[in-house]
Amino acid sequence: MEWFDAVPFMIGCADAAHQVEGNLVNDWTVFEETHPEAIADRSRSGIACDTYHRYEEDLDRLAALHGNAYRFSIEWSRVEPHEGVIDAKALEHYRKVIAACRERGIEPIVTLHHFTLPVWLAHRGGILASDVPYAFARYAAACVAALGDIVTWWVTVNEPNVLAVMSYLYGYWPPQEHSLPKTVHAFAQLARMHAAATVAVRDVAARNGWTAHVSFAHHVRPFQPANPMLPSDVAAAASMDWLFNSWMLEACRTGRLLPPIGRGEEVYGLRGSLDYLGINHYTGEEVHLTLRGAEVKPRRGYPLTENSLAIDPLLFESVLISAWDTYHLPILVTENGVADRTDDLRPAFLEDHLHAVQRARANGIPVLGYCYWSLLDNFEWHEGYSMHFGLFAVDRTSLERTPRPSAETFSRIAGEMAGERVPIVPR
Ligand code: BGC
């Protein structure tokens, strides 16, 4: 029996420190202040959902919905506010959050880097700084040393592909670059960060006799040609698919920075760096190549979310199937969700996507868990507070949380699936 056969199904919600905790000082808070025009509703993350203080009541909400898993991130800028200086009190806070999870029968899934950086690091080049893998590993080691006795599931980096593209190619996010060479460099650096952190997590856990399962959270967004009869569309979709969806996974499989990001250089710790595969999935897109470059649009014929993403649960199922067929790693859905303020789409979205997970499991694919993004409406990066992913709406003045009808849908399905042990029959 493989180790993952014994894992009771985890179902819960995901969030990230910057989006919910409130009152942070990091590269993003500086960006929000200096570039108000870059945020759709000109909001600042500010107090966010004040989850830093209200985590217990929010964990009560999650537990009341039969959630038994909570993915959240540790904020690097709290833990290492000055270079090389670890704040033990900050780690103590996260220990309390994890203890509060455990008291409620909720499995913590802990992310070490979810898009934000301490200001000192941003000032010296952010993820492009040559020693960032070392700095990240040092911070990761401090987190595991402080929390590894009560955390089993670790996520090193959230969505390296999204971060590289949004920050260095499209320039929506700090440091707002529009540079292909820097995007390439960012991909390579994020692979090195993931590798270095994985080594650190495993090392500290092994020295202490703790169990640690490590992955990064991979955003999978399949691209298909807008016109499958046009070779240019086919080629554009295939190359985007390779870089965005496959490159990082192949780097972890081979241990090398493969073209076009590298020339096959080996990265210490990268090969075999995944104990499981964290998958974030929201949508797929169509690609049309024009003289001005690739036009990327939502797939036609599907309902659209508040942020114009096509909803297709069958695509989600095919992502799970092909990830398992290609990598043979147990899968943890670290994010899946829908922006839908009026809650017209969310109940069916949850039904359909969780049924896809059930079918995949029944067909022998070891899907270990599912984290809905997100329990609460939160700060949606350059979209500010204008997107509503929450099972609970959050009043921006009182911060009062109000369940949307879909919270009930989630609760019903989570009640059936939480803790389920489906014998995974190898395909
Ligand atoms: C990110 C989250 C974000 C979510 C919804 C994911 O790509 O990891 O931080 O809030 O998508 O857009």
Side-chain angles (χ1 to χ4, degrees):
M1 188 171 81
E2 306 261 18
W3 62 267
F4 51 81
D5 288 354
V7 176
F9 191 73
M10 295 178 267
I11 182 162
C13 290
D15 62 30
H18 187 77
Q19 297 178 266
V20 297
E21 275 189 4
N23 294 330
L24 289 166
V25 181
N26 60 29
D27 62 335
W28 260 89
T29 54
V30 172
F31 176 66
E32 292 157 24
E33 202 174 308
T34 53
H35 296 76
E37 74 293 344
I39 314 292
D41 57 0
R42 299 180 83 89
S43 61
R44 297 189 188 170
S45 52
I47 193 162
C49 304
D50 195 25
T51 298
Y52 188 82
H53 297 109
R54 303 184 190 209
Y55 62 91
E56 288 187 291
E57 50 165 291
D58 288 337
L59 288 170
D60 284 341
R61 289 185 177 93
L62 178 57
L65 299 183
H66 301 111
N68 70 349
Y70 175 43
R71 174 176 175 231
F72 65 96
S73 74
I74 295 183
E75 175 62 27
W76 190 351
S77 64
R78 284 197 196 275
V79 172
E80 193 175 354
H82 306 287
E83 184 167 3
V85 181
I86 297 294
D87 183 342
K89 278 215 181 83
L91 286 166
E92 196 42 48
H93 167 77
Y94 291 110
R95 221 182 145 77
K96 286 188 196 144
V97 174
I98 294 159
C101 288
R102 293 257 175 250
E103 280 159 24
R104 291 161 178 79
I106 291 175
E107 184 70 35
I109 301 163
V110 180
T111 307
L112 293 165
H113 179 261
H114 197 122
F115 297 156
T116 55
L117 293 173
V119 174
W120 57 263
L121 182 55
H123 278 160
R124 48 186 204 65
I127 61 165
L128 301 191
S130 55
D131 63 346
V132 80
Y134 165 75
F136 186 50
R138 181 182 57 193
Y139 150 74
C143 293
V144 181
L147 309 169
D149 57 331
I150 48 174
V151 176
T152 305
W153 298 93
W154 294 95
V155 176
T156 53
V157 182
N158 183 65
E159 302 187 339
N161 50 0
V162 172
L163 178 58
V165 167
M166 295 299 271
S167 297
Y168 292 97
L169 190 63
Y170 296 150
Y172 287 122
W173 294 358
Q176 286 197 307
E177 299 275 1
H178 299 270
S179 153
L180 195 55
K182 287 188 180 174
T183 307
V184 166
H185 191 189
F187 266 94
Q189 286 291 84
L190 286 157
R192 294 187 184 105
M193 285 171 70
H194 161 69
T198 301
V199 172
V201 172
R202 287 179 175 164
D203 209 54
V204 176
R207 272 190 280 123
N208 288 282
W210 300 329
T211 303
H213 304 309
V214 193
S215 176
F216 71 97
H218 183 43
H219 184 108
V220 184
R221 197 180 191 97
F223 296 106
Q224 64 182 44
N227 181 351
M229 304 300 281
L230 270 183
S232 50
D233 284 7
V234 174
S239 45
M240 286 177 65
D241 213 53
W242 161 249
L243 185 61
F244 199 81
N245 294 316
S246 303
W247 183 85
M248 189 73 189
L249 296 179
E250 288 298 319
C252 293
R253 194 169 62 80
T254 58
R256 293 178 184 279
L257 301 180
L258 302 169
I261 302 299
R263 291 181 310 276
E265 309 87 306
E266 203 174 330
V267 174
Y268 174 69
L270 191 55
R271 188 169 175 184
S273 54
L274 302 176
D275 295 321
Y276 68 97
L277 184 50
I279 289 189
N280 294 1
H281 175 75
Y282 290 86
T283 196
E285 285 174 320
E286 291 184 359
V287 182
H288 175 52
L289 195 64
T290 70
L291 289 175
R292 279 169 284 109
E295 261 176 14
V296 181
K297 292 201 175 139
R299 295 163 106 229
R300 282 161 292 178
Y302 296 92
L304 296 181
T305 68
E306 202 174 61
N307 51 346
S308 299
L309 303 183
I311 302 178
D312 178 5
L314 278 182
L315 181 68
F316 176 53
E317 190 173 346
S318 80
V319 163
L320 301 175
I321 294 170
S322 99
W324 170 247
D325 284 350
T326 316
Y327 296 103
H328 267 79
L329 289 164
I331 295 167
L332 178 55
V333 179
T334 33
E335 283 180 37
N336 175 240
V338 57
D340 174 29
R341 189 177 58 81
T342 53
D343 213 41
D344 292 328
L345 304 166
R346 195 175 287 101
F349 178 97
L350 284 165
E351 295 267 4
D352 295 345
H353 285 74
L354 282 160
H355 286 156
V357 170
Q358 287 169 341
R359 280 194 302 277
R361 276 164 65 80
N363 285 325
I365 298 175
V367 183
L368 306 173
Y370 173 96
C371 301
Y372 177 76
W373 185 279
S374 185
L375 184 71
L376 308 175
D377 285 348
N378 59 53
F379 183 76
E380 186 52 39
W381 309 109
H382 67 292
E383 308 279 9
Y385 289 106
S386 66
M387 295 294 147
H388 306 83
F389 282 88
L391 297 177
F392 287 78
V394 176
D395 182 289
R396 288 303 324 142
T397 310
S398 64
L399 300 184
E400 192 188 333
R401 285 90 157 120
T402 307
R404 293 195 164 96
S406 53
E408 189 48 46
T409 314
F410 178 90
S411 170
R412 176 171 45 75
I413 306 176
E416 291 161 14
M417 290 182 81
E420 194 181 67
R421 285 172 201 264
V422 169
I424 308 272
V425 187
R427 278 150 51 97

